[in-house]
Amino acid sequence: MSNAYLKFYYDNVIGLLSKESLQLVYVDTLPAPAALDLRNRILYIRNIDETEDLDLVLSLIVHEIGHALFTNATSDQLNKMPMHIIFNIIEDGYIERMVCKKYPGLKSYLYKLFDYYFLGETYTEGNKITQICNILNYNCKGIKYNHILEYPHFVEPEDIEFLKDIELMCDSAYTKRYKRFLALQQIL
């Protein structure tokens, strides 16, 4: 498949999925196949190599479009808060649920993304905080596929309750996640 065809394909998919126009910029270098500049509404897509898994690339593009459609906090807000990594975990789980609700046919693409990044991982590497964040990330994304990991034995029971409350914030019923998260952050 030629790069010109792929660009045409991705341009059309993105145009169909996003309700407002996103500026598309194709670049040669990018750590992931797709990245969204939320504030400026620019979707960066790495020029695709023929050896890449095109479904996985499309899965990442769908994920980033989910942010364009459903993230209501600005990138400035997200970058300023000290716990932006936790909020991003919550937001990723939320936007993927919303994409699955709005476009049920795309669930298989997001599952492929989940499978690629999460399934088969044990999350026993790294320091305790990294392990907890990885399991939280897994559970926030995996709950829609009935995949849940238990938290390690070193996590106190009341902290597990707290983490389970955070996981619930990924639910599509929480449309004011940012405000709720700020309140949660003040408690901490």
Side-chain angles (χ1 to χ4, degrees), residues 89 93 97 114 118 123 132-151 160 163-164 166-168 170:
I89 289 171
R97 284 184 188 196
F114 178 78
F118 292 103
Y123 301 114
I132 292 168
C133 285
N134 285 336
I135 291 171
L136 179 64
N137 197 359
Y138 179 98
N139 289 351
C140 283
K141 292 181 179 179
I143 199 166
K144 65 185 166 293
Y145 311 113
N146 295 317
H147 290 287
I148 299 293
L149 291 176
E150 295 298 320
Y151 288 96
I160 290 176
L163 290 164
K164 297 284 183 191
I166 291 174
E167 290 172 16
L168 292 175
C170 296

Side-chain angles (χ1 to χ4, degrees), residues 6-110:
L6 287 172
K7 285 181 181 178
F8 173 77
Y9 175 73
Y10 291 138
D11 287 351
N12 282 298
V13 168
I14 292 162
L16 289 170
L17 294 178
S18 59
K19 60 184 173 187
E20 89 276 350
S21 61
L22 291 173
Q23 181 183 354
L24 299 178
V25 176
Y26 290 92
V27 294
D28 287 327
T29 58
L30 200 62
L36 178 68
D37 176 344
L38 194 57
R39 183 180 358 147
N40 295 311
R41 314 303 285 173
I42 300 171
L43 180 60
Y44 293 97
I45 300 176
R46 185 176 65 209
N47 286 321
I48 308 301
D49 181 317
E50 286 80 23
T51 62
E52 291 189 69
D53 181 336
L54 298 180
D55 282 346
L56 186 61
V57 171
L58 184 57
S59 300
L60 285 162
I61 290 171
V62 166
H63 173 89
E64 293 301 329
I65 290 171
H67 280 296
L69 292 171
F70 302 112
T71 297
N72 56 12
T74 68
S75 54
D76 283 347
Q77 289 171 319
L78 296 178
N79 290 332
K80 284 181 184 170
M81 74 172 110
M83 295 179 57
H84 70 276
I85 292 169
I86 301 294
F87 185 79
N88 191 56
I89 289 171
I90 294 166
E91 191 66 14
D92 280 354
Y94 172 79
I95 63 105
E96 288 185 8
R97 284 184 188 196
M98 293 303 293
V99 166
C100 290
K101 273 181 124 172
K102 186 167 182 162
Y103 306 105
L106 295 177
K107 188 172 184 175
S108 63
Y109 285 99
L110 291 174

Side-chain angles (χ1 to χ4, degrees), residues 165-179:
D165 287 344
I166 291 174
E167 290 172 16
L168 292 175
M169 290 175 68
C170 296
D171 193 283
S172 55
Y174 283 100
T175 55
K176 305 289 184 207
R177 293 160 326 288
Y178 181 69
K179 286 182 182 175

